[in-house]
Amino acid sequence: MSNKLRRLNPKQAEAVKNIGNPLLVLAGAGSGKTSVITEKIAYLLRDCEYDPASVIAVTFTNKAAREMRERITKMLGEEYTSGLTVSTFHTLGLKIIHSELKNLPYQRGFTIYDSEDSINLVKEVLRIEKVSPDFADQFRWQISTWKNAMISYEQALEMAENDLQAQAARIYKAYDDYLKVYNAVDFDDLIVVPVNLFLQNPEALERWQNKTRYLLVDEYQDTNACQYTLVKQLVGIRAAFTVVGDDDQSIYAWRGAQPENLRLLVSDFPTLQVVKLEQNYRSLGRILKVANHIIANNDHIFDKKLWSDKGYGEPLKVVACDDPDHEAQKVVTEMLHKKFIEQATYNDFAVLFRGNHQVRTFEKAMRAHRIPYKVSGSFSFFSLAEIKDLMCYMRLVVNPHDDAAFLRVINTPRREIGAKTVELLRNFADDKMLSLHQVIIDHDVSKVLPARSASRIKEFAQWLKDISTRSKTDAGDIILRDIIRDVGYESYLTDSCKDIVSARKRMENVKDLIDWVKSIEGENGERTLDHQIAHLSLLDLLEKNEDEEESDKVQLITLHSSKGLEFPHVYMVGMEEELLPHVASMDEDGIEEERRLAYVGITRAQKTLTMSFSKRRRVGAEIVERKPSRFLLEMPQDELEWEGYNENKDPAKVRERGKAHLANLKNILG
């Protein structure tokens, strides 16, 4: 056994060394799955002498992929890892699309639509179909659901049970037709397109199966139907793979995740072996006992029971509060007390909540007590207006058929091309089923536009043609600087900002973008704008909700976003019926997913866990009485200490708690 493997426990080492069969590693919370994946990649490259270019590791976030690659490179060095693919599913999909472009109906420089672009395109389709844009979100969600389930619009139309469903299918087709006209793909297409390519092109499939000697997949329980199909396609009959997952942490059904993919592995790969990682390296024993107890109420594909050798720990607290304001004050007060007693830092603490609407009350309490905090996902560099403007300019330069980008920049900065002109141009393009760029290039727009507007449109088209030509040879950062200069963007920022300080700050953001573009190189060292904008567009999509700031702040984070994280001290708030479990999840499947969500929250805690709920909460215009979550009542009650709810008033216990509190005060005071 390699010296490296001696750091692993027997089950972890078994998972690493098993390469002769398809393998499922059932990895409980805090069981060291990342170590297993990275050690296994190292084992394949170092001990088994696999070519790095033949090993692919896939996960769900850009951050996780980056950290995994960094760990492997630190372990082995660049000589072992050059050519290794460690990426998200969507980044891998983009790589396949770029590699197989000649076999796909897209041109070089295709655009990747983000959620805003997709919604706007759906709205455009709805406008043409004379359907209210108020339903755009629902239609976009339905289209995404169909794509992830590998349901074509023909199948969707055939499955329709009423006029509304049939209409959704028609909108789905029109939406996809327009994407092709605009030489664009949406986020879901980054998986759907490779899957469909492999279904229709055996040569391309064989090419990628030969490239994929071994495949590793992290967070496998979060895969949807389309992602699982891609996995099966890449591994083929060789079935050389390891997937790591935990059905107890499957909490993303709402975005298409299918925990039953774990069950499908058994039938699809009869020689599948299962290794269970049950030793937890994160939490104290009492926390794990409560977690095991609650999750045992769910049906299981595979049984497991987490355990720890870290000691047992203090009882878990359950605090009943009068209302959300009282709850926030209780949490903040206890947090400050614990911070002082244990000499903890603020980033040792996390407040976990079911819905974003809960966070404002806690923000208010944190500010009142001058506690620094961070709301997870509250900032995105790519959401800044100046960055979105310039990203759209770059997208348009590499793909002039990108109507979403065209519409954002055509009058930014102002070119005296008004909304009426744009509307006339859009209607003309819709009638011809062409992109806006095709219309202004191939048609005499002076016939449908006022002369002055037509002239300005033509000027813009000529500029776009010139700079698009230069972008094929000049470096991307040079092209971006040219865009900023040509359109007078710095002057525009100065004029549109309320003061010079704001303008200067926004221009600093622009300079950061230029530096970022300059730093991006393609696989063959090219620095052309088409490769750079594709990289940035995907990064935007993958990291919209990732704030890289490292500082001493309390984390305010949803239960969904907390997965994969850990904190010494955790507060799970709003543990009430109709909030956790959520009122919209009261059927059997919904309750099981909500219970898994509670399980994820509990297993984030390393040392202490405090759970709280409000006895009363405003719902709409009414104040309603609330009951504690059923999940609190499912927990082993002898492991809990309740406060403020059916509290035991035994005088001896009151005196005991009083003495303990007095002793703590004496310790504080020396």
Side-chain angles (χ1 to χ4, degrees):
M1 182 182 292
S2 163
N3 289 334
K4 299 286 186 182
L5 297 187
R6 290 177 188 155
R7 297 179 301 181
L8 305 178
N9 67 42
K11 284 295 181 182
Q12 290 174 328
E14 181 185 349
V16 168
K17 292 192 294 178
N18 189 330
I19 61 172
N21 298 91
L23 179 67
L24 165 62
V25 180
L26 198 67
S31 62
K33 69 177 178 68
T34 304
S35 293
V36 167
I37 295 172
T38 53
E39 289 286 356
K40 184 151 195 172
I41 294 171
Y43 182 73
L44 289 167
L45 302 181
R46 180 189 59 226
D47 299 66
C48 303
E49 298 183 347
Y50 276 57
D51 180 356
S54 70
V55 177
I56 297 176
V58 185
T59 187
F60 275 84
T61 69
N62 208 43
K63 183 178 179 182
R66 184 171 59 250
E67 290 175 350
M68 194 180 296
R69 172 174 276 284
E70 287 171 354
R71 287 177 66 166
I72 297 164
T73 303
K74 189 176 180 180
M75 288 167 63
L76 299 180
E78 289 286 351
E79 67 273 16
Y80 276 102
T81 58
S82 179
L84 174 70
T85 296
V86 183
S87 73
T88 65
F89 268 104
H90 293 88
T91 304
L92 176 61
L94 179 63
K95 184 177 180 179
I96 294 170
I97 293 171
H98 274 307
S99 174
E100 301 290 338
L101 206 54
K102 63 180 182 297
N103 297 313
L104 293 167
Y106 302 102
Q107 308 302 312
R108 182 173 174 173
F110 64 87
T111 296
I112 304 170
Y113 272 23
D114 64 11
S115 57
E116 184 178 342
D117 296 328
S118 294
I119 284 288
N120 287 337
L121 180 54
V122 171
K123 287 178 179 176
E124 175 65 9
V125 173
L126 295 179
R127 185 183 69 84
I128 295 166
E129 296 288 324
K130 296 183 170 52
V131 179
S132 171
D134 295 342
F135 299 105
D137 285 328
Q138 293 102 306
F139 281 118
R140 176 67 190 98
W141 176 85
Q142 183 60 74
I143 292 168
S144 180
T145 300
W146 278 329
K147 286 190 176 187
N148 288 327
M150 295 185 64
I151 296 171
S152 67
Y153 44 78
E154 292 93 349
Q155 292 169 318
L157 189 58
E158 190 176 324
M159 293 162 53
E161 296 179 355
N162 52 51
D163 289 343
L164 183 62
Q165 291 177 5
Q167 185 181 52
R170 288 192 296 272
I171 288 166
Y172 177 15
K173 182 178 187 311
Y175 170 85
D176 257 13
D177 286 344
Y178 272 105
L179 280 176
K180 290 182 177 66
V181 170
Y182 301 152
N183 193 30
V185 296
D186 65 18
F187 194 56
D188 299 317
D189 286 334
L190 294 175
I191 311 297
V192 173
V193 170
V195 165
N196 285 334
L197 169 70
F198 292 155
L199 289 171
Q200 298 160 13
N201 191 319
E203 291 82 9
L205 176 59
E206 186 179 4
R207 200 160 35 250
W208 276 89
Q209 286 178 344
N210 291 334
K211 286 182 180 182
T212 312
R213 190 178 172 196
Y214 205 94
L215 178 69
L216 303 99
V217 182
D218 191 16
E219 304 289 2
Y220 176 75
Q221 77 282 344
D222 293 335
T223 55
N224 58 39
C226 197
Q227 289 162 336
Y228 181 42
T229 302
L230 181 62
V231 169
K232 288 193 295 182
Q233 289 174 328
L234 290 173
V235 301
I237 60 173
R238 187 184 295 128
F241 69 80
T242 293
V243 299
V244 182
D246 181 7
D247 54 336
D248 288 334
Q249 297 188 75
S250 179
I251 57 174
Y252 297 121
W254 50 276
R255 69 183 191 197
Q258 297 184 167
E260 58 265 31
N261 285 347
L262 286 164
R263 197 186 308 275
L264 288 173
L265 281 173
V266 178
S267 57
D268 290 342
F269 300 95
T271 60
L272 181 78
Q273 295 190 358
V274 179
V275 174
K276 298 179 184 178
L277 304 184
E278 296 174 294
Q279 183 175 358
N280 176 284
Y281 293 92
R282 174 185 299 158
S283 306
L284 297 177
R286 195 187 304 263
I287 294 170
L288 296 179
K289 180 180 178 180
V290 170
N292 287 331
H293 198 89
I294 184 176
I295 204 64
N297 290 283
N298 276 8
D299 289 332
H300 281 82
I301 303 169
F302 304 98
D303 289 321
K304 68 177 186 306
K305 193 171 184 178
L306 297 179
W307 61 276
S308 170
D309 61 4
K310 288 182 165 295
Y312 201 55
E314 60 188 62
L316 279 57
K317 288 184 70 173
V318 181
V319 183
C321 306
D322 297 334
D323 54 41
D325 286 331
H326 182 221
E327 183 179 29
Q329 288 299 328
K330 289 283 287 185
V331 166
V332 166
T333 302
E334 184 182 308
M335 190 182 293
L336 288 170
H337 177 74
K338 195 179 294 290
K339 181 179 184 297
F340 188 78
I341 292 290
E342 300 203 9
Q343 296 297 294
T345 58
Y346 283 119
N347 57 19
D348 287 338
F349 298 88
V351 180
L352 312 184
F353 43 89
R354 177 61 178 81
N356 283 304
H357 66 278
Q358 296 170 258
V359 74
R360 299 303 170 211
T361 306
F362 288 89
E363 283 191 276
K364 182 180 175 183
M366 296 280 176
R367 288 196 298 268
H369 289 271
R370 293 189 171 88
I371 297 174
Y373 66 89
K374 181 179 92 174
V375 181
S376 181
S378 61
F379 171 82
S380 169
F381 177 75
F382 293 99
S383 69
L384 298 171
E386 58 271 23
I387 304 305
K388 289 184 76 70
D389 288 344
L390 294 173
M391 287 284 288
C392 283
Y393 265 112
M394 288 188 287
R395 282 168 44 181
L396 194 62
V397 168
V398 300
N399 177 19
H401 303 296
D402 185 346
D403 272 18
F406 185 103
L407 290 169
R408 182 175 183 99
V409 305
I410 186 60
N411 210 31
T412 304
R414 291 187 63 81
R415 296 184 176 86
E416 298 180 28
I417 300 170
K420 182 66 175 174
T421 298
V422 174
E423 184 71 13
L424 289 169
L425 200 60
R426 288 175 74 181
N427 290 337
F428 189 66
D430 292 340
D431 289 342
K432 301 285 185 185
M433 197 59 185
L434 297 171
S435 70
L436 292 166
H437 178 259
Q438 283 175 295
V439 167
I440 62 178
I441 292 296
D442 299 334
H443 294 266
D444 185 2
V445 292
S446 61
K447 292 180 179 178
V448 292
L449 300 180
R452 185 178 175 87
S453 298
S455 173
R456 293 195 174 275
I457 288 282
K458 285 291 187 182
E459 285 175 15
F460 179 76
Q462 185 59 51
W463 171 81
L464 183 59
K465 180 182 178 181
D466 293 342
I467 199 164
S468 294
T469 301
R470 297 204 307 276
S471 73
K472 292 175 172 60
T473 54
D474 292 356
D477 60 297
I478 294 173
I479 297 298
L480 178 54
R481 290 181 185 276
D482 287 351
I483 292 169
I484 294 166
R485 180 201 64 211
D486 292 350
V487 305
Y489 197 80
E490 186 167 2
S491 298
Y492 162 72
L493 283 184
T494 303
D495 294 341
S496 59
C497 290
K498 61 183 179 182
D499 54 57
I500 192 66
V501 176
S502 301
R504 193 178 292 123
K505 187 175 180 180
R506 293 180 70 183
M507 206 54 212
E508 284 298 320
N509 295 330
V510 170
K511 290 174 182 175
D512 287 344
L513 180 63
I514 295 170
D515 291 340
W516 206 339
V517 171
K518 189 175 182 179
S519 69
I520 298 168
E521 287 188 359
E523 288 190 2
N524 300 316
E526 67 267 41
R527 292 181 49 239
T528 51
L529 191 62
D530 58 338
H531 283 84
Q532 292 166 321
I533 193 62
H535 177 92
L536 284 174
S537 295
L538 185 56
L539 194 66
D540 177 18
L541 289 167
L542 293 170
E543 297 193 343
K544 275 188 185 294
N545 295 320
E546 291 184 17
D547 185 350
E548 301 296 330
E549 183 181 1
E550 297 290 337
S551 55
D552 190 21
K553 296 180 180 180
V554 175
Q555 304 294 301
L556 306 181
I557 188 168
T558 65
L559 285 162
H560 283 99
S561 299
S562 73
K563 190 162 163 292
L565 305 177
E566 58 186 44
F567 306 92
H569 310 291
V570 168
Y571 297 83
M572 287 177 63
V573 302
M575 290 201 65
E576 307 149 24
E577 286 291 293
E578 301 191 358
L579 191 51
L580 184 68
H582 195 271
V583 67
S585 306
M586 291 303 184
D587 60 10
E588 186 176 347
D589 289 343
I591 291 294
E592 288 214 345
E593 173 134 343
E594 291 290 293
R595 188 177 285 112
R596 291 195 293 268
L597 192 57
Y599 173 84
V600 165
I602 294 167
T603 54
R604 299 311 94 195
Q606 297 171 306
K607 295 180 180 178
T608 70
L609 174 63
T610 301
M611 297 166 285
S612 61
F613 65 93
S614 293
K615 299 174 186 176
R616 290 173 295 279
R617 187 176 293 271
R618 181 177 294 278
V619 180
E622 295 183 43
I623 304 292
V624 297
E625 299 291 321
R626 305 304 288 256
K627 295 179 180 178
S629 169
R630 69 188 70 190
F631 302 145
L632 289 172
L633 306 180
E634 290 175 358
M635 296 175 185
Q637 297 301 301
D638 57 339
E639 308 297 344
L640 307 182
E641 185 178 278
W642 288 72
E643 178 184 317
Y645 188 82
N646 294 335
E647 198 172 9
N648 191 336
K649 301 297 184 182
D650 180 68
K653 290 193 175 183
V654 172
R655 284 195 299 274
E656 189 178 329
R657 283 196 297 272
K659 287 179 181 179
H661 185 63
L662 185 61
N664 279 336
L665 286 175
K666 286 180 178 178
N667 287 333
I668 294 171
L669 298 172

